[in-house]
Structures are given as structure tokens and as C-alpha cells.
């Protein structure tokens, strides 16, 4: 059955704030430094030095998220399995990164929590890998979403400009313009669906070209 945008395996809603604090908005970038640093540590790149068969030293680089995603793709390919604890970790990390993004994008005044939703409702469905996922698609999903990535690159620039306009609006009025709020959240929602499809690998349903 074809899923609509609202039924997609990855969903996002953000509570619209009636009023926002001018002072914390003014210094948002500075205030966010500690939590951004923590978020970066959780997905930081690392490296391991190995020796190949010839005895030469080889450095293998990777990241926490990238390693789990790669391992998940292999599990789907060879075993048709998606380990639940891998999924839970990626989902909760995605939620945490989402709260950090919402704070940076001025969508909320709540300092990002590692546990509570704080008005950022991000849902990702756990897949039935054996019955609902094609074992070969993880090999080409990154290629299939290239049209999305091109569009999202353009929309991302507009979303960034919208946040700047919203910053001035909040400083002057204490409010985030509703149309800009919906646009920024919509671009984020679109990107989340692409991420869920091509990288989290939780669905084979191609993401819609939609901010709704």
C-alpha cells in the first residue's frame, strides 16, 4: 500500500511557540556551543591503525553513525535483519540531534535535552526487515536520492536565510513568523524522510518531494 506523507516511516512535528525569549535568542550561537560539542562527540569521526597483509600500515577512518549504518546495510544485505538496539540508538541520536537543530534554528527556547521531547516530536518506525525491506536496495539508495539532495541543498539555503530573518523578528517582536516556522520545519521534515530512506534504511518507500 502506498504511504502518504503523513504516514511515512519518519515523521516530524514541532510545537509552534507563541513567544520566544529575546535575550537567549540574541546569544543563541554562544549558548548552544556546549550542547553542539556534545552532539558532535556522539557522532565524531575516529580512526584505527591496522596492518595489511604486506605489513604496511593502513589508517581506517569512520564515525559512530556511519559505522552503524554501514553495518546495518550489510546485515540487511546478507541476513535480512535490522538489530533492534542498533535502530534504537540511531533513532534516539537522531531525536537528540533534532532537538539541537531546533534550538539552533530558534524553533524553541528549550535547551536541548538528551531525553525529553521538548516539543520536537520525531518518530521513526522500526522496520520488519525480513518482510518489508529489499536486501539489495541499500546498495543504491544513496544514488536514488540524489534528486532529493539537489533540491534540499537549494531549500537548505532558503531555510538558513529564513532563520536569519526569524532571528531579527524575534528580537523585535518576540515571535517567530508562522510561515517561516512552517517552512524551516518542512525542509527539515523532508530531509528527515530522505535520511530515513537512504541512510537509516528503515523503509523502502521512496520519500515524497514534499515539506508536508
Amino acid at each position: 500500500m502506498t504511504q502518504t506523507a503523513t504516514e511515512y516511516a519518519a515523521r516530524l512535528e514541532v510545537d509552534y511557540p507563541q513567544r520566544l525569549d529575546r535575550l537567549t535568542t540574541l546569544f543563541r550561537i554562544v549558548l548552544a556551543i556546549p550542547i553542539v560539542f556534545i552532539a558532535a562527540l556522539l557522532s565524531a569521526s575516529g580512526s584505527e591503525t591496522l596492518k595489511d597483509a604486506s605489513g604496511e600500515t593502513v589508517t581506517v577512518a569512520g564515525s559512530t553513525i556511519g559505522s552503524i549504518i554501514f553495518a546495518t546495510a550489510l546485515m540487511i544485505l546478507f541476513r535480512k535483519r535490522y538489530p533492534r538496539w542498533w535502530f534504537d540508538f540511531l533513532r534516539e541520536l537522531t531525536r537528540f540531534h533534532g532537538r539541537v537543530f531546533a534550538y539552533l534554528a530558534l524553533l524553541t527556547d528549550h535547551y536541548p535535552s538528551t531525553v525529553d521531547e521538548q516539543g520536537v516530536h520525531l518518530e521513526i518506525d522500526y522496520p520488519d526487515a525480513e518482510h518489508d525491506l529489499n536486501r539489495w536496495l541499500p546498495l543504491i539508495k544513496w544514488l536514488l536520492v540524489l534528486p532529493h539532495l539537489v533540491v534540499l541543498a537549494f531549500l537548505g539555503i532558503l531555510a538558513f536565510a529564513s532563520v536569519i530573518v526569524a532571528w531579527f523578528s524575534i528580537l523585535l517582536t518576540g515571535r517567530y513568523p508562522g510561515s517561516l516556522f512552517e517552512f524551516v520545519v518542512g525542509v527539515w521534515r523532508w530531509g528527515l524522510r530522505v535520511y530515513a530512506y537512504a541512510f537509516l534504511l528503515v523503509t523502502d518507500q521512496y520519500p515524497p518531494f514534499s515539506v508536508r
Side-chain angles (χ1 to χ4, degrees):
M1 181 177 65
T2 302
Q3 292 172 298
T4 65
T6 56
E7 295 171 338
Y8 198 74
R11 300 171 297 281
L12 173 70
E13 296 294 337
V14 181
D15 296 340
Y16 178 71
Q18 295 301 317
R19 302 288 297 181
L20 291 166
D21 185 83
R22 292 182 173 91
L23 185 60
T24 60
T25 296
L26 179 63
F27 297 104
R28 183 59 50 90
I29 294 179
V30 176
L31 295 173
I33 289 175
I35 201 67
V36 170
F37 180 70
I38 291 172
L41 282 178
L42 288 173
S43 54
S45 296
S47 63
E48 184 176 359
T49 301
L50 306 171
K51 286 188 177 181
D52 62 16
S54 65
E56 294 183 359
T57 300
V58 179
T59 299
V60 180
S63 70
T64 302
I65 297 176
S67 297
I68 296 177
I69 289 174
F70 182 65
T72 300
L74 293 179
M75 282 291 289
I76 294 172
L77 177 62
F78 293 110
R79 297 289 308 279
K80 290 279 283 184
R81 296 287 186 272
Y82 198 130
R84 180 68 196 229
W85 71 273
W86 295 2
F87 167 83
D88 289 339
F89 174 78
L90 290 173
R91 181 190 59 191
E92 295 308 315
L93 188 59
T94 301
R95 286 173 170 172
F96 173 60
H97 284 166
R99 290 189 288 270
V100 173
F101 173 78
Y103 186 69
L104 282 171
L106 312 176
L107 302 172
T108 178
D109 279 341
H110 295 297
Y111 202 79
S113 168
T114 56
V115 179
D116 300 327
E117 281 192 350
Q118 297 179 313
V120 179
H121 312 292
L122 193 158
E123 297 294 337
I124 302 173
D125 296 336
Y126 178 65
D128 183 346
E130 186 173 358
H131 298 97
D132 297 336
L133 298 181
N134 183 307
R135 69 168 72 242
W136 303 107
L137 272 180
L139 299 176
I140 60 170
K141 280 183 173 181
W142 63 272
L143 182 63
L144 297 177
V145 297
L146 286 180
H148 280 280
L149 298 181
V150 171
V151 176
L152 284 170
F154 174 71
L155 292 178
I157 295 173
L158 295 180
F160 180 75
S162 298
V163 172
I164 294 176
V165 173
W167 184 77
F168 285 104
S169 176
I170 295 167
L171 292 182
L172 294 174
T173 68
R175 295 178 63 86
Y176 203 121
S179 58
L180 295 183
F181 183 92
E182 291 299 328
F183 176 72
V184 173
V185 173
V187 174
W188 178 11
R189 182 183 296 118
W190 187 335
L192 174 66
R193 293 182 187 132
V194 172
Y195 182 59
Y197 171 80
F199 303 104
L200 294 184
L201 308 174
V202 298
T203 180
D204 285 347
Q205 179 71 28
Y206 195 72
F209 284 82
S210 173
V211 298
R212 300 294 181 183

